Amino acid sequence: MCGIVCYVGKKQAKPILLDGLKQLEYRGYDSAGVAVQQGSDIDCYRSVGKIAELERKLNGLEINGTTGIAHTRWATHGEPTEENAHPHSDQDENVFVIHNGIIENYHMLKKKLEKQGIKFRSETDTEVLAQLIGLNYEGSLNEAVRKTMSQVEGTFGVAVIHKDVPDEIVIARRGSPLIIGVSEDGHFAASDVSAMVRYTNKVVHLEENELATLTADGFSMSTAQAKPIERSMETVEWRIEDAELDGFPHFMLKEIYEQPETIKNALRGRLEPGEGVPKLGGIMPVWDTLKECRHLVIVACGTSYYAGCVGRYLFEKLTEIDVEVELASEFRYRKLNFPPNTFILALSQSGETADTLAALREAKRKGASLLGVVNVVGSSISRETEAGVYNHAGPEIGVASTKIFTSQLAILTLMALLLGRHQNLSLTEGVEAIRALQALPDQIKTVLSQANHIEAVAEQYYKCGNWLFLGRKYNYPIALEGALKLKEISYIHAEGYPAGEMKHGPIALINPDMPTVAVVPRDDMYEKMISNIQEIKSRRGPVIAIATQGDEKIREIADEVIEIPETLQYLNPILSVVPCQLLAYYCASFLGRDIDKPRNLAKSVTVE
Ligand code: F6R
């Protein structure tokens, strides 16, 4: 979604800002812009489309200045046009503003300002912010932004410069993340560390309803009530190399291939094979209450939600805990009763998904305790939960989530195992689980070694306009995830179904042009899945089976077989999802899609 990067320091701002914008491209956007300040001159340029478009526009222009703000916009209010791209200015072009989030009362404010004779140039809610800051400015930019914060409703991460205050950037946050970067050559602000990690890994997080003023030599932070804040600096572990392609044609493929490593990272230092009990330091602060937990609600969106759906089966298998899984975007409409000692577990790669954050806040209001499994260290969800576990999987750049899904499943297994061992799970079962987890990285490599075969399968079927994905029990969420992966990056219509539901409707769709991907490892659902596959075959539907290595029976029935190594039944999803990811990737590749930045999608969904 929208991205912010700002710099004030000793170096020229333009190249730093353009580089920062490129690092933010993965979030998804449809237009971009930059404003660079030198003394009281501010040069502002905007363009629709890729950053390369903006770069072309700036090519050959003398744009000097060591202070600047830059933005990638993902349209919410108003189409993706140059007029609607950020930065926006007030009518006198004194103030320039970039903004992530949504100003909910913008319509009312706009009408009021128009009555005062203020002329608007765009359809955006952000321009209201710029006009208000311009009107509120009486010599202190910080004060003008603070006053504006009290007039607007909704969410924002904003960065503001003013002609009269050279070499100063004011930023403010409510509901949309902003991070300050500290380096010897100046200060940065960004919505995402990847925009500045090339220059610094020293960061300070701005919290809700806080402002900061940045200059070349320092920065000061305060609350919306002007109370000064001191906060210690943190060091981020991501490196710029993590955000580079490393010879892969797309980040998505790179991230699929990183899975043996990201599973190792999820397990590193957390396994105690002898005891069959994992160690999860991150949840120890709440262990005394968590170990008595009998009711867990997992909340998440999209792919993270499907990981949560596997999580429900994992907790039910390994613990005595009742588990519900809720789409975060629907959570607030449910009338959920939380028995005493209910924990809410949020799953989120970005840690910034607005719906997941809103669900957590609602659950907190109702008295539940909050846990998180998050990849981005220091993100809003990691800060608003009482305890949790980090994925430590490095940045996920491809918009379609892959490596975080399998990492989430590994961590959910560890959490369930830890709680289960505290309850009724035997030492033997604990040790067996840990051994099976340790084997997963090499087993994923075995699945990846079939990439050429999977590519050939994709080549045969990518022209089919409708696909079905089927699974049962642990692999039902994999059918959902497989269908989501295919539709989001290839734009092929796909549906995921629990195989048992076939006869209740979807079987009417089966025909020779509609492939079915059947996730059919050798588990206690196997025979039932085989019957479902037979039903499809008798209606001449092509079947691509994801099956356990050495399964000869399935070869006689299915048109194509992709093998996964044998593991414990409840760990099958960590292996069976990998062929689904590769199938989606290769179909999208044959169709010539923009795989890392599929249309209309954003990496971090910071609006509800
Ligand atoms: C799909 C995908 C999305 C995200 C969803 C939640 O490939 O990536 O469905 O899973 O937007 O995002 P996080 O995990 O950042 O909360």
Side-chain angles (χ1 to χ4, degrees):
M1 267 191 169
C2 303
I4 284 178
V5 56
C6 313
Y7 172 72
V8 49
K10 299 176 191 156
K11 295 185 168 177
Q12 285 299 315
K14 182 182 108 177
I16 293 176
L17 296 175
L18 283 175
D19 177 59
L21 288 181
K22 284 183 200 154
Q23 303 303 332
L24 292 174
E25 279 195 292
Y26 77 97
R27 294 168 67 99
Y29 68 104
D30 38 49
S31 53
V34 56
V36 176
Q37 180 168 21
Q38 187 171 41
S40 60
D41 287 331
I42 297 179
D43 290 322
C44 179
Y45 297 90
R46 303 176 295 180
S47 70
V48 177
K50 301 285 176 207
I51 307 298
E53 234 10 85
L54 182 67
E55 242 179 341
R56 243 191 303 281
K57 205 168 192 175
L58 303 187
N59 229 345
L61 298 177
E62 275 275 301
I63 302 173
N64 294 314
T66 55
T67 304
I69 59 178
H71 191 259
T72 48
R73 173 173 187 255
W74 188 85
T76 56
H77 292 70
E79 283 185 33
T81 60
E82 198 169 312
E83 294 70 40
N84 290 336
H86 302 205
H88 287 282
S89 58
D90 64 329
Q91 76 171 4
D92 298 328
E93 300 198 343
N94 290 324
V95 170
F96 287 78
V97 174
I98 53 178
H99 164 223
N100 288 358
I102 292 179
I103 303 301
E104 285 162 5
N105 59 340
Y106 96 101
H107 196 67
M108 181 273 285
L109 290 168
K110 188 171 177 177
K111 286 266 159 306
K112 213 161 122 188
L113 291 169
E114 278 172 338
K115 273 197 192 134
Q116 291 171 28
I118 305 279
K119 296 262 178 299
F120 281 78
R121 304 181 202 92
S122 77
E123 302 159 273
T124 65
D125 52 339
T126 304
E127 195 182 346
V128 169
L129 275 177
Q131 302 284 10
L132 281 175
I133 296 170
L135 290 171
N136 288 332
Y137 179 76
E138 290 175 346
S140 161
L141 186 56
N142 191 290
E143 280 312 314
V145 174
R146 191 186 312 282
K147 184 164 177 197
T148 306
M149 280 174 82
S150 69
Q151 295 169 311
V152 296
E153 286 162 19
T155 55
F156 51 81
V158 282
V160 189
I161 51 177
H162 193 293
K163 279 191 168 170
D164 292 353
V165 267
D167 307 324
E168 183 175 305
I169 301 172
V170 175
I171 60 173
R173 164 183 180 160
R174 182 187 297 156
S176 191
L178 277 179
I179 304 154
I180 298 168
V182 181
S183 84
E184 283 182 3
D185 294 320
H187 289 90
F188 297 79
S191 49
D192 181 327
V193 279
S194 55
M196 54 193 183
V197 81
R198 187 189 295 283
Y199 306 96
T200 182
N201 62 353
K202 302 270 178 288
V203 301
V204 179
H205 289 266
L206 203 65
E207 302 278 11
E208 286 298 277
N209 289 309
E210 291 181 354
L211 298 88
T213 300
L214 276 54
T215 63
D217 304 320
F219 67 94
S220 59
M221 294 164 72
S222 58
T223 64
Q225 292 72 38
K227 205 168 140 227
I229 299 164
E230 292 293 329
R231 185 164 300 131
S232 48
M233 204 142 63
E234 292 172 37
T235 305
V236 292
E237 12 163 280
W238 292 4
R239 305 156 308 152
I240 190 71
E241 304 86 76
D242 294 332
E244 283 168 356
L245 278 166
D246 224 5
F248 283 89
H250 297 98
F251 282 107
M252 181 177 174
L253 192 62
K254 179 182 176 216
E255 287 156 6
I256 292 173
Y257 273 84
E258 275 172 9
Q259 290 177 110
E261 204 48 42
T262 48
I263 292 291
K264 273 190 204 155
N265 289 348
L267 303 179
R268 186 163 288 129
R270 293 170 172 164
L271 298 182
E272 193 68 76
E275 302 287 312
V277 186
K279 286 189 292 187
L280 292 171
I283 57 173
M284 283 308 118
V286 295
W287 179 243
D288 282 345
T289 39
L290 182 61
K291 68 181 189 219
E292 306 306 332
C293 167
R294 288 292 178 276
H295 191 218
L296 179 74
V297 184
I298 302 177
V299 291
C301 296
T303 289
S304 293
Y305 169 74
Y306 296 146
C309 293
V310 179
R312 173 170 47 198
Y313 290 108
L314 290 170
F315 276 90
E316 282 174 1
K317 165 79 185 158
L318 300 172
T319 75
E320 307 300 313
I321 299 172
D322 290 335
V323 186
E324 291 173 68
V325 196
E326 285 290 324
L327 279 166
S329 53
E330 287 292 313
F331 182 80
R332 65 181 62 176
Y333 314 125
R334 297 287 316 282
K335 195 174 164 199
L336 291 169
N337 282 322
F338 296 153
N341 206 3
T342 293
F343 271 81
I344 307 292
L345 171 60
L347 304 179
S348 178
Q349 186 286 128
S350 61
E352 301 295 350
T353 301
D355 285 316
T356 310
L357 261 170
L360 282 178
R361 289 174 186 154
E362 178 64 13
K364 189 172 182 184
R365 214 176 52 76
K366 290 184 176 158
S369 307
L370 310 184
L371 291 175
V373 173
V374 172
N375 188 40
V376 179
V377 176
S379 56
S380 302
I381 292 177
S382 74
R383 301 166 91 75
E384 293 199 23
T385 42
E386 289 155 52
V389 183
Y390 280 121
N391 295 94
H392 294 307
E396 191 179 61
I397 309 276
V399 162
S401 185
T402 51
K403 64 176 178 175
I404 299 305
F405 180 77
T406 46
S407 169
Q408 285 167 335
L409 296 190
I411 290 172
L412 286 166
T413 311
L414 293 180
M415 291 176 100
L417 202 53
L418 176 60
L419 284 156
R421 285 288 287 125
H422 187 74
Q423 298 170 344
N424 288 334
L425 201 70
S426 69
L427 172 66
T428 317
E429 286 169 296
V431 171
E432 177 189 55
I434 286 184
R435 287 217 185 100
L437 282 165
Q438 283 170 322
L440 285 173
D442 283 340
Q443 293 183 316
I444 294 177
K445 283 188 193 158
T446 306
V447 182
L448 293 172
S449 69
Q450 295 169 81
N452 288 345
H453 169 52
I454 298 172
E455 184 176 11
V457 175
E459 189 170 17
Q460 204 173 328
Y461 293 101
Y462 75 93
K463 288 188 184 139
C464 300
N466 295 292
W467 290 47
L468 196 61
F469 286 71
L470 297 180
R472 279 176 185 257
K473 201 175 171 182
Y474 302 118
N475 287 294
Y476 159 45
I478 299 308
L480 298 174
E481 170 60 5
L484 177 64
K485 280 290 88 80
L486 185 66
K487 71 183 123 186
E488 68 181 333
I489 60 162
S490 72
Y491 319 147
I492 294 172
H493 171 240
E495 293 199 42
Y497 257 94
E501 279 294 296
M502 275 295 284
K503 287 195 273 296
H504 302 287
I507 200 161
L509 292 169
I510 299 299
N511 68 47
D513 297 323
M514 182 168 183
T516 296
V517 178
V519 190
V520 53
R522 218 182 288 108
D523 61 10
D524 53 17
M525 296 292 108
Y526 181 77
E527 292 304 336
K528 286 199 165 66
M529 281 298 296
I530 293 287
S531 305
N532 295 129
I533 293 171
Q534 300 279 21
E535 286 154 12
I536 296 165
K537 286 312 306 168
S538 26
R539 285 155 187 86
R540 298 199 296 127
V543 171
I544 302 162
I546 298 173
T548 306
Q549 249 169 10
D551 181 346
E552 293 309 324
K553 183 167 162 185
I554 196 80
R555 289 196 178 275
E556 288 166 20
I557 315 169
D559 299 83
E560 306 290 343
V561 178
I562 302 166
E563 292 192 331
I564 59 170
E566 186 147 14
T567 182
L568 296 176
Q569 292 195 20
Y570 58 83
L571 294 181
N572 268 324
I574 297 181
L575 301 176
S576 61
V577 76
V578 179
C580 296
Q581 297 167 343
L582 284 171
L583 265 178
Y585 174 82
Y586 288 119
C587 284
S589 171
F590 284 121
L591 289 163
R593 307 299 191 215
D594 190 354
I595 293 180
D596 284 334
K597 297 179 215 92
R599 69 184 180 205
N600 306 336
L601 288 178
K603 184 66 188 163
S604 175
V605 184
T606 49
V607 294
E608 288 176 29

